[in-house]
Amino acid sequence: MSNGFRLGLFYTIVRPEEKALLAAAEARGVPVERWDDGEVTFGLERPPELPDVVVNRSVSHTRSVYATRCFAHYGVPTVNDPDVIDLAGDKVRTSLRLAERGIPTPRTVVALSAEAAMKAIEQIGYPAVLKPAVGSWGRLMAKVDDRGAAEQLIEHKEALASPVHSVFYVQEFVPKPDRDLRAFVVGETVVAAMFRRSADWRTNAARGATTEAAPLTPELTDLALRAARAVGGGVLAVDLMESHDGLVVHEVNPTPEFKALQAATGADVAGAIVDYAVGAGRR
């Protein structure tokens, strides 16, 4: 299948997902070049030897954005596109885009100072959820149930004096079952979806949530595809919640893990990603 075609894998560590991608590429006869994000350098001139397409699997949002922009500078397509990674990796920008496209999403207020953050939380009402603008795996998220807890959390975040904590992204707490949904989109196809269940209000598989296959209903499929298109499309995990008014999209992940999804559904997610990347590299 390769006919001289080469796929690049830009990664931080080789996790089960990266192993699955390597195996899927090998099964298709596609040679893979590994690019360690801690070792690679990028000059301004195009190197003589480059892969035909690069699949980004770096766990760092910042490294992902800069690396894919460098590959784009060299004329090498990436999965995902740097603009998609930049937008979908930022929760503020994602929420703005979803709202612009009329996609149902939790009520959200953004504040740029500790003083304004308290106003934002009061606007949302209790309980409210504070999330970092950039981040994954449910880290640095907090649910605040009253004003006292909100004041303590804001004071703590302000004392950290970190850019990560200087933007306050406040979302309503959506009453939902003990689960949420993740739909995995590759191009114009929802490959599979799963429920993530947890006794904790955070239902990330990385935090120990149990998973099971979810049916691809027309509502879920349509909303997942609309959300993916809104951020530019590609390989994306769309996270949704079941609210009293129907499904709402709360996040779109541009470099998603899929080990739990493959195990829960039996879908060949890695194969779908490799096929999509090869197609992107040959366009």
Side-chain angles (χ1 to χ4, degrees):
M1 177 180 179
S2 71
N3 295 322
F5 186 93
R6 293 175 300 155
L7 184 148
L9 184 69
F10 184 73
Y11 67 98
T12 304
I13 56 174
V14 179
R15 302 165 293 176
E17 286 83 358
E18 287 69 48
K19 291 178 181 177
L21 289 168
L22 291 168
E26 182 179 9
R28 288 157 173 76
V30 178
V32 178
E33 295 179 8
R34 302 189 189 192
W35 294 64
D36 186 324
D37 69 1
E39 296 181 359
V40 67
T41 61
F42 297 95
L44 299 182
E45 295 182 359
R46 190 183 196 277
E49 295 293 330
L50 285 169
D52 295 280
V53 64
V54 172
V55 175
N56 174 61
R57 296 297 305 170
S58 173
V59 301
S60 164
H61 174 68
T62 302
R63 291 184 184 184
S64 296
V65 170
Y66 283 115
T68 52
R69 292 209 181 280
C70 288
F71 283 119
H73 174 70
Y74 299 147
V76 177
T78 57
V79 177
N80 285 313
D81 180 88
D83 287 340
V84 173
I85 295 171
D86 206 357
L87 194 161
D90 183 319
K91 293 181 181 64
V92 175
R93 294 185 64 199
T94 299
S95 289
L96 292 171
R97 179 60 62 84
L98 294 175
E100 288 165 4
R101 298 295 172 86
I103 296 168
T105 190
R107 287 188 304 117
T108 301
V109 178
V110 178
L112 306 178
S113 71
E115 295 77 14
M118 199 65 235
K119 294 179 184 177
I121 295 172
E122 296 287 346
Q123 283 179 254
I124 290 294
Y126 299 101
V129 177
L130 270 72
K131 300 179 181 180
V134 175
S136 56
W137 301 313
R139 294 178 304 188
L140 303 178
M141 289 170 53
K143 175 172 167 279
V144 291
D145 294 309
D146 53 50
R147 185 178 179 88
E151 289 174 341
Q152 290 181 25
L153 179 62
I154 291 170
E155 181 181 355
H156 177 69
K157 290 171 79 69
E158 189 178 27
L160 292 173
S162 164
V164 174
H165 300 286
S166 63
V167 174
F168 296 83
Y169 175 91
V170 186
Q171 234 174 27
E172 68 172 318
F173 179 78
V174 177
K176 60 180 177 60
D178 62 345
R179 67 187 190 187
D180 75 352
L181 279 155
R182 166 162 285 196
F184 206 97
V185 179
V186 178
E188 284 295 311
T189 302
V190 180
V191 175
M194 66 179 176
F195 290 116
R196 302 183 295 189
R197 297 182 183 272
S198 175
D200 186 69
W201 64 277
R202 293 166 294 187
T203 51
N204 305 76
R207 303 189 70 87
T210 59
T211 58
E212 63 183 87
L216 294 178
T217 64
E219 180 189 13
L220 172 61
T221 300
D222 175 67
L223 199 52
L225 288 175
R226 286 173 58 202
R229 292 175 192 138
V231 300
V235 174
L236 299 154
V238 179
D239 293 340
L240 311 96
M241 291 184 287
E242 300 161 285
S243 76
H244 294 315
D245 299 318
L247 292 177
V248 294
V249 176
H250 62 100
E251 286 187 24
V252 181
N253 190 317
T255 316
E257 295 176 327
F258 54 85
K259 176 183 70 173
L261 181 76
Q262 285 201 152
T265 65
D268 183 11
V269 179
I273 294 172
V274 170
D275 290 341
Y276 178 81
V278 170
R282 287 183 166 155
R283 282 200 289 269

